Amino acid sequence: MMKHSYDKEFKEQAVQYYLDNKDHMTMNEISKNLGIGASTLHKWIKLFTETGEFGRGSGNFASDKDKERSKYGRLQEIT
């Protein structure tokens, strides 16, 4: 299965759609309408309600440059 990447705007719209419809639709119905998995939607809702924003997610880096620095650091540890 291919991993999808969603932009911040889509995530915000998905969470808003959930909040607007949660009283009369299940999370599974909402996520199916959005074309995403229920666990993905649940993660976005949790992240947004806890922090009020969408970062790059846990395990992700603030920038591609930080990601490369980390990869370089791991390579240094191996050699």
Side-chain angles (χ1 to χ4, degrees), residues 57-72:
S58 64
N60 290 323
F61 297 91
S63 70
D64 291 333
K65 191 176 219 177
D66 289 342
K67 183 177 180 179
E68 287 300 314
R69 285 184 192 134
S70 177
K71 185 166 52 171
Y72 180 74

Side-chain angles (χ1 to χ4, degrees), residues 4-17 36 41 44-45 47-48 51-57:
H4 291 89
S5 179
Y6 300 97
D7 64 17
K8 182 179 175 181
E9 183 178 357
F10 180 81
K11 293 176 184 180
E12 289 172 349
Q13 290 173 349
V15 170
Q16 189 59 55
Y17 181 74
I36 60 174
L41 179 59
W44 294 347
I45 293 164
L47 182 64
F48 187 74
T51 65
E53 62 182 42
F54 298 102
R56 289 176 60 109

Side-chain angles (χ1 to χ4, degrees), residues 6-49:
Y6 300 97
D7 64 17
K8 182 179 175 181
E9 183 178 357
F10 180 81
K11 293 176 184 180
E12 289 172 349
Q13 290 173 349
V15 170
Q16 189 59 55
Y17 181 74
Y18 167 78
L19 294 173
D20 292 344
N21 293 286
K22 68 180 181 173
D23 293 333
H24 59 276
M25 293 174 72
T26 67
M27 183 168 302
N28 285 338
E29 291 171 325
I30 293 169
S31 63
K32 185 176 179 181
N33 288 348
L34 294 167
I36 60 174
S39 62
T40 299
L41 179 59
H42 183 266
K43 180 176 69 173
W44 294 347
I45 293 164
K46 184 178 181 193
L47 182 64
F48 187 74
T49 55

